[in-house]
Amino acid sequence: MTPSRPLSPRLARLGTLLLLGLAATSLPAQTPREKAQPKTTAPAAEPPGQSARAAMAAITRATEPSALTVAPGFKVELLYTVPKEDQGSWVALAIDPKGRLTAADQYGGLYRLTLPPLGTSAGLKVEKLALTLPAVPPPPGTESRPTPKRAAATDGSASPAVGAHGLLYAFDSLYVMVDEVPAKQGVWRLRDTNGDDQFDEIKYLREMRGSGEHGPHSLALSPDGKSIYFANGNHTDLPTHLNKSRAVSWDEDHLLPRMWDARGHAKNKFAPGGYIGRMDPEGKTVELFALGFRNQYDLAFDQNGELFTYDSDMEWDQGSPWYMPTRINHVVDGADYGWRSGAGRWPDYYADSLPATLAIGPGSPTGTVFGTGAKFPAKYQLALFAADWTYGTLYAVHHTPDGATYRGEKEEFISGKPLPLTDLVINPNDGAMYFAVGGRRTQAALYRVTYTGTESTAPAQPAPLTAEVKLRRSLEALHAEGTGPEAIAIAWPHLAHADRFVRTAARIAIERQFPDNWASRALAERNPQAAIEALIALARVGPKYLQPRLLESLERLDFAKQPAALQLPLLRAWQLAFARMGKPDATTCARLAAKLDPLFPHPEALVNRELHALLVYLDSATVVAKTVPLLSVSEPVGTAPEEQASKSLLARNDNYGKVVNSVSDSRSDRQQMMMAYNLRHATVGWTPKLRVEFFSWFARTAPWKGGNSFSGFIQNIRTETLARVPDPAERAALNALSKPAATHFAAGALTPKGPGRNYTVAEATALATGLTGRNFAEGKGLFAATACIVCHRFNHDGGGIGPDLSGAGSRYSVKDLMENLVEPSKVISDQYDSQQFDLADGSTLVGRIVGEENGELLIMSNPFAPDEKTKVKSADIKSRKTYPISMMPPGLINALNPEELKNLTAYVLSGGNPNDKMFK
């Protein structure tokens, strides 16, 4: 085992006791579910004391509309608080042809809601759809199967779960994207063939194997009404029997070896990552449309038929140079949006990807919908509504045409605490918006949004298509299967177009043609912009034997003489020539390095990053000596490379100016971190003095803060660079010099006064509801005392074993929070689960895979010592499966007295804000 970071004596004892308690604790007994009536109305409050369930329902009612912040002129109504034990936690919505709503429980069944008319919230009816999907789906394309005999009861325990993430009514059917039940994952088609208002025909169309919250997600009808689009997260395999693809020849395309996530997330997940596909109504033909997303949950078409999605960030990467915030993407035919796992996520300025229309920031994207059909003012009819689960915010994104794409501006349309938004729809029958909250078994509810202001709600007309959009669409038509070589002549002139989206469409059209038909033209192209695009295309799809000629053509493009807007694309063309075609011989590398060496360091920060990586790859003899001093040059606050690029490139009126500002609240120096990341692979130019200077840098990073994986990435840079030091004695000295200091997350911890008690969920919820007059300092100290901070990050401090709790107040009701504290095994996100490993020697190990070295898995099994890892040879693992008990021990709050529990709860729900009303 590798040595762990020392814990304080108090925490070490606490960790030992908690883990011993966990080993002796079985899963909490499940409360027997009471049967629900087939049709119910929104539950009315029962007299106090009538039953434990009634008392709890009074406490756990969803957030009242009066507590929400709503855009002026709009009204929000709470229509239904979902009884969690009976009807689960809702994550997907769809409007049926009769104007009724269908909702999906994330882990359970489907529910049909007859909505009350506008003007009243009374009379809503809820019924569980009585259907069962076959446990083992038939092969794609088989004949439909009749529904098995329906269960008599309609509660969540009566029939097998559906586990849907996406719903769509189209083609006289309900399409269901099943995610959470592995034996059923994929697209199902449900039909009512006998007119009894129940689904009696169930057909499995396409298998789509994924992984829980990053698996198969939502569905949308195409603008022409002929096909179905679907969004799948980055842990989803491509559909079986994929027929064709609009995207061409995707790959990882890293110049230097990528570093996997320091906590093991998405290890060995490769391109295409998250993707959007489409299929015909019968699922017979499935096509990959666009790729390179992380975890886009939903997708939506605007009134002009343009497609948009809201993609997730990797919150664990905050503070790192490769962190990208959640963002709105304009999704176009065949494009790549740059997600790659670990530290490999492409920056927005890579010429073979496309940028966002808007960067939102940290969050957890869920449902999206355009306001088309809503009885809202015109600007909201044309807006994209994008829901964030983590921070309880519904954004209205207003897009302005910008050449062949759009520029977005966000407005906080609705926000609340808690308001864990999951999905939303516009009901064309009444013009209202309906949205659901829930997910991960949090308290679910249904709300309605109507406009009560004085502005006109007449149907809005979309902005007319720009000439660039029309041109882009005409080029996208050349992406179709079977397009002949005439596409080359049509597309080629547009490789030099001023609009990046147009250039991309032209390049993809050319990449679909045989390289023999256009390689010579690419190699001879003299227009710098067109040449860069053409040579990128040739590097991506051309034969490797053309590399010498391709490099010769790139050398003709004198880097120093190119305008600033072409320097990053030119560097990317060099990178792709090597990433796709291999490393040239040493003589060629030396010649190219000598040509590029004088350009480094470069005044433009982002150019410096890419130029630096290229020189390290080419084994430049001077790059190490030039770089190490730069690790002492601080990046001024507010002048991160992303910000510099945004300012300088926007001024040049080019779409490369849409560089995402990924600045987080951390104080890390991303430019220094990127240089160190590249230097871990430098093999030429080191001296003992330079190594001492380089390894001294790691001590200066100790105060830097970021996401769960941030410190792990820095330590992995250190480890990989140390491994390249040839002399054992020098390596040992550098190891001692750069070894990270112990992290004591317990700083400021208070010793609980007690006396404690064995809290139940109901008791803890009752105590922690309606908090006022709380003690902020004590709550903060108890957050450390109860070991929360050891495993959870909170405002950039703490460990990374469990979810970040900074936004807990926006997604958890008091009851949801207490369930997580008292019964942590009840809901375990697949992003934070652990596995049981049965080994060849008969022993069993429980933990989480966080890395792999030399054929051995590195497994973290002690949440209180996350840097202590057990090495297990892959060959020694007989079997492994998901472990049903959380790594978080139960009863962490049992040392607290009621007043202390209230103060701790207030601290967590406030997000660490001492000015929150709970402390007044």
Side-chain angles (χ1 to χ4, degrees), residues 681-760:
H681 277 283
T683 58
V684 178
W686 288 105
T687 66
K689 181 177 183 296
L690 285 172
R691 283 201 173 99
V692 169
E693 288 183 42
F694 175 77
F695 282 96
S696 297
W697 173 80
F698 290 95
R700 299 198 294 274
T701 69
W704 294 357
K705 300 190 182 300
N708 288 357
S709 297
F710 176 77
S711 61
F713 274 122
I714 290 181
Q715 293 314 312
N716 286 348
I717 292 171
R718 171 184 172 273
T719 300
E720 290 189 25
T721 315
L722 269 176
R724 291 182 178 273
V725 178
D727 179 64
E730 183 183 13
R731 185 164 61 248
L734 294 172
N735 180 42
L737 172 68
S738 59
K739 195 169 185 178
T743 299
H744 296 286
F745 292 130
L750 298 177
T751 300
K753 300 172 184 176
R757 62 182 69 178
N758 292 324
Y759 289 102
T760 64

Side-chain angles (χ1 to χ4, degrees), residues 163-366:
H165 278 205
L167 302 172
L168 171 69
Y169 280 96
F171 307 107
D172 193 32
S173 308
L174 172 61
Y175 290 85
V176 181
M177 181 71 89
V178 175
D179 177 298
E180 299 288 351
V181 183
K184 307 174 185 178
Q185 282 181 320
V187 181
W188 296 74
R189 183 176 185 174
L190 314 182
R191 297 180 66 212
D192 171 16
T193 64
N194 58 16
D196 67 350
D197 210 25
Q198 296 292 328
F199 296 111
D200 56 87
E201 179 184 274
I202 298 178
K203 188 174 183 180
Y204 184 65
L205 300 185
R206 280 282 176 160
E207 179 184 47
M208 295 187 189
R209 294 297 182 192
S211 178
E213 294 174 9
H214 287 239
H217 293 315
S218 296
L219 304 152
L221 183 65
S222 65
D224 63 7
K226 295 180 180 179
S227 58
I228 295 171
Y229 283 70
F230 52 87
N232 288 346
N234 63 334
H235 288 194
T236 315
D237 296 338
L238 285 173
T240 54
H241 308 292
L242 183 69
N243 301 89
K244 50 187 177 178
S245 175
R246 311 291 284 191
V248 179
S249 188
W250 59 86
D251 209 335
E252 298 300 292
D253 291 329
H254 298 131
L255 185 63
L256 298 175
R258 158 253 315 283
M259 183 180 288
W260 295 104
D261 179 75
R263 296 287 183 186
H265 179 80
K267 183 175 175 58
N268 294 324
K269 296 295 182 183
F270 298 99
Y275 60 90
I276 289 174
R278 65 184 176 193
M279 66 181 194
D280 67 275
E282 297 293 335
K284 294 179 179 179
T285 300
V286 178
E287 185 174 21
L288 178 63
F289 184 75
L291 58 95
F293 305 101
R294 180 173 182 262
N295 192 29
Q296 77 299 5
Y297 188 86
D298 205 353
L299 64 169
F301 289 95
D302 72 3
Q303 290 186 343
N304 282 323
E306 295 292 310
L307 180 61
F308 293 82
T309 192
Y310 182 18
D311 196 16
S312 69
D313 63 342
M314 177 47 173
E315 64 276 11
W316 295 6
D317 292 352
Q318 287 185 53
S320 71
W322 47 84
Y323 171 72
M324 299 284 273
T326 66
R327 51 193 189 150
I328 304 296
N329 287 117
H330 176 203
V331 185
V332 298
D333 196 301
D336 190 328
Y337 293 84
W339 180 84
R340 300 297 188 271
S341 190
R345 188 165 190 170
W346 298 359
D348 260 7
Y349 53 77
Y350 272 8
D352 47 331
S353 69
L354 286 177
T357 65
L358 174 68
I360 299 287
S364 182
T366 49

Side-chain angles (χ1 to χ4, degrees), residues 255-256 320-323 347 349-350 568 571 575 600 602 604-616 635 640-642 662 669-675 678:
L255 185 63
L256 298 175
S320 71
W322 47 84
Y323 171 72
Y349 53 77
Y350 272 8
L568 283 170
L571 287 172
Q575 292 175 355
F600 180 81
H602 194 277
E604 284 280 351
L606 296 179
V607 171
N608 226 21
R609 285 187 187 181
E610 304 307 323
L611 184 58
H612 184 254
L614 190 56
L615 288 171
V616 170
E635 178 183 36
E642 293 84 355
S662 65
D669 191 305
R670 285 162 292 263
Q671 191 76 341
Q672 289 184 19
M673 190 173 175
M674 195 72 236
M675 297 293 182
N678 292 337

Side-chain angles (χ1 to χ4, degrees), residues 765-789:
T765 301
L767 282 169
T769 297
L771 298 174
T772 58
R774 295 296 94 208
N775 185 317
F776 176 84
E778 182 173 273
K780 183 176 181 180
L782 291 170
F783 190 77
T786 53
C788 298
I789 201 168

Side-chain angles (χ1 to χ4, degrees), residues 638-657:
T639 57
E642 293 84 355
E643 295 175 283
Q644 296 174 13
S646 293
K647 294 175 183 177
S648 63
L649 295 179
L650 276 173
R652 299 186 185 108
N653 194 30
D654 184 273
N655 283 332
Y656 282 105

Side-chain angles (χ1 to χ4, degrees), residues 425-474:
V425 293
I426 303 296
N427 189 343
N429 297 278
D430 60 18
M433 171 191 289
Y434 294 82
F435 69 83
V437 299
R440 287 192 190 171
R441 294 195 170 94
T442 57
Q443 179 60 56
L446 178 70
Y447 295 82
R448 179 168 62 193
V449 184
T450 52
Y451 181 66
T452 58
T454 59
E455 292 185 48
S456 171
T457 59
Q461 296 301 312
L465 296 179
T466 64
E468 292 88 348
V469 168
K470 294 177 181 178
L471 174 58
R472 192 200 77 229
R473 288 183 173 186
S474 70

